[in-house]
């Protein structure tokens, strides 16, 4: 669902809760999918430059948050970058580098001030024809937080939610002596899901952004899918992958993009100046850098209290 594999692990038999989570995700797909022509999000995009579209409260609130983050982090996070992404087609059969002029024209469509939000009508209007909202950079985090709330309301004490690499943990680990969890940090050199490191942790959310998920090579040069909303080109720095650890999955999705753009040392300093968040950075040599709240126990094992 939603272009990825989704899993929910409970430690008790409760089919009704599992079905409830499934039904919620089906509903969210109908609201937020960029690939369904009948979704609320698609209707907003179809009416870009034409008219405002009235949407559900849930859709309006997530778009409001997403535009807020886009304005807060203009150098890195932008939910309007879809037209630039589609130009490159990275991960979708693309093998051609767009021209500077093509990229420049598409960058005119990523201005968040051209999104008109009307809270009294719950309406969204993209003022310019060709503008597109794509909430893929934040939606899974939003869903994970809502699923946690849903599980708590139904009395579930422990669970693991994995929304295609966005891992959210609820409660204590009933299978562990110390009741902590072991979360694998993906090895970016392999596509089979093997881990580069293990974090021994209390319940948190883990969100990872990396350049090895989607890319293509042209004339010996690699172009990955994390595009700068300032230049329209793949961002260049010393990071291959960054994993964010915090307790709010929506925010973790945003931060995983923001701190990727900052680079390892600047990203590490910024995380360490922000409360209740930790990060694990991986460079091109597969070397790991962790923030001060994560202890290196050796042999690829880390402790996060």
């Amino acid at each position: 669902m939603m272009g990825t594999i989704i899993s929910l692990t409970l430690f008790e038999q409760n089919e009704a809760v599992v079905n409830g989570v499934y039904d919620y995700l089906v509903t969210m797909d109908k609201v937020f999918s960029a690939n369904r022509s009948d979704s609320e999000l698609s209707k907003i995009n179809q009416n870009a430059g034409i008219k405002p579209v009235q949407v559900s409260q849930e859709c309006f609130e997530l778009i409001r948050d997403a535009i807020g983050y886009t304005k807060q982090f203009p150098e890195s996070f932008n939910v309007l970058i879809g037209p630039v992404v589609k130009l490159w087609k990275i991960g979708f059969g693309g093998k051609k580098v767009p021209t500077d002029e093509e990229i420049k024209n598409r960058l005119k469509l990523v201005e968040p001030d051209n999104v008109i939000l009307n809270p009294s009508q719950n309406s969204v209007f993209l003022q310019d024809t060709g503008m597109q909202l794509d909430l893929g950079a934040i939606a899974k985090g939003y869903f994970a937080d809502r699923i946690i709330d849903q599980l708590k309301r139904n009395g579930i004490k422990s669970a693991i939610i994995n929304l295609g690499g966005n891992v959210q943990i609820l409660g204590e680990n009933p299978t562990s002596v110390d009741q902590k969890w072991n979360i694998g940090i993906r090895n970016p050199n392999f596509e089979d899901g093997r881990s580069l490191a293990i974090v021994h942790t209390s319940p948190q959310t883990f969100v990872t952004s990396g350049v090895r998920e989607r890319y293509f090579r042209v004339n010996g040069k690699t172009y990955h899918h994390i595009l700068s909303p300032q230049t329209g080109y793949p961002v260049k720095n010393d990071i291959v992958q960054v994993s964010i650890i915090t307790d709010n999955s929506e925010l973790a999705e945003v931060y995983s993009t923001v701190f990727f753009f900052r680079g390892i040392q600047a990203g590490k300093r910024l995380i360490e100046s922000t409360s209740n968040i930790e990060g694990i950075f991986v460079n091109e040599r597969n070397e790991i850098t962790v923030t001060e709240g994560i202890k290196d126990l050796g042999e690829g094992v880390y402790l996060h209290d």
Side-chain angles (χ1 to χ4, degrees):
M1 192 183 293
M2 303 175 186
T4 190
I5 302 297
I6 294 173
S7 69
L8 169 66
T9 304
L10 304 184
F11 295 83
E12 60 188 85
Q13 294 291 335
N14 197 322
E15 188 174 349
V17 167
V18 175
N19 289 336
V21 171
Y22 177 81
D23 291 344
Y24 169 75
L25 289 171
V26 168
T27 300
M28 291 301 96
D29 190 50
K30 292 177 181 177
V31 173
F32 293 111
S33 174
N35 301 314
R36 294 176 57 123
S37 61
D38 61 342
S39 72
E40 292 186 26
L41 186 65
S42 290
K43 289 175 182 176
I44 294 170
N45 292 337
Q46 291 160 7
N47 285 280
I50 301 173
K51 65 179 181 179
V53 174
Q54 191 169 27
V55 297
S56 62
Q57 183 70 24
E58 201 152 25
C59 183
F60 183 85
E61 288 177 356
L62 181 53
I63 290 173
R64 179 197 61 202
D65 289 353
I67 295 300
Y69 292 129
T70 297
K71 292 179 178 180
Q72 184 178 355
F73 303 109
E75 79 290 346
S76 53
F77 186 87
N78 191 307
V79 292
L80 298 164
I81 202 169
V84 183
V85 172
K86 288 189 175 182
L87 180 65
W88 281 88
K89 299 180 182 177
I90 298 174
F92 300 95
K95 291 290 183 183
K96 178 178 175 294
V97 179
T99 65
D100 288 344
E101 189 64 25
E102 288 173 324
I103 291 172
K104 184 179 178 181
N105 287 335
R106 293 293 178 96
L107 284 175
K108 296 174 183 177
L109 301 173
V110 305
E111 175 52 61
D113 287 336
N114 291 337
V115 180
I116 306 302
L117 302 176
N118 185 332
S120 64
Q121 297 291 323
N122 270 7
S123 68
V124 182
F125 180 37
L126 308 182
Q127 287 187 300
D128 296 336
T129 302
M131 289 182 73
Q132 294 178 1
L133 270 170
D134 186 342
L135 302 176
I138 188 174
K140 288 189 295 184
Y142 176 83
F143 301 153
D145 289 333
R146 300 292 82 72
I147 292 170
I148 286 289
D149 293 340
Q150 191 171 335
L151 295 177
K152 288 179 178 178
R153 286 196 303 270
N154 285 278
I156 300 299
K157 301 299 183 185
S158 300
I160 306 169
I161 305 158
N162 189 335
L163 302 179
N166 177 317
V167 178
Q168 175 84 296
I169 304 169
L170 170 64
E172 298 173 336
N173 184 349
T175 69
S176 170
V177 174
D178 64 1
Q179 299 183 318
K180 290 186 179 294
W181 304 84
N182 291 319
I183 303 299
I185 301 300
R186 178 185 171 187
N187 189 326
N189 285 338
F190 297 92
E191 297 181 358
D192 59 6
R194 73 183 69 180
S195 296
L196 177 64
I198 300 293
V199 181
H200 195 60
T201 181
S202 55
Q204 292 282 285
T205 186
F206 284 67
V207 174
T208 297
S209 289
V211 301
R212 301 280 170 81
E213 297 166 11
R214 297 196 300 274
Y215 60 89
F216 65 67
R217 291 189 178 95
V218 174
N219 297 326
K221 190 172 182 179
T222 299
Y223 298 88
H224 61 75
H225 73 289
I226 302 180
L227 304 177
S228 166
Q230 304 295 313
T231 68
Y233 285 89
V235 61
K236 295 180 181 180
N237 58 27
D238 53 352
I239 297 179
V240 170
Q241 176 178 289
V242 59
S243 298
I244 297 299
I245 307 171
T246 186
D247 59 3
N248 182 291
S249 198
E250 178 182 312
L251 200 54
E253 290 277 5
V254 176
Y255 280 160
S256 70
T257 299
V258 170
F259 294 128
F260 185 96
F261 272 74
R262 298 297 173 94
I264 291 178
Q265 293 308 316
K268 182 174 182 289
R269 286 193 299 270
L270 187 55
I271 288 175
E272 290 174 347
S273 67
T274 307
S275 61
N276 194 32
I277 181 172
E278 302 296 341
I280 299 175
F281 298 88
V282 181
N283 67 14
E284 292 183 347
R285 296 180 297 279
N286 245 23
E287 297 168 337
I288 295 176
T289 300
V290 299
T291 51
E292 61 185 9
I294 300 174
K295 298 175 184 176
D296 186 351
L297 302 181
E299 299 182 353
V301 179
Y302 296 84
L303 174 65
H304 172 254
D305 293 327

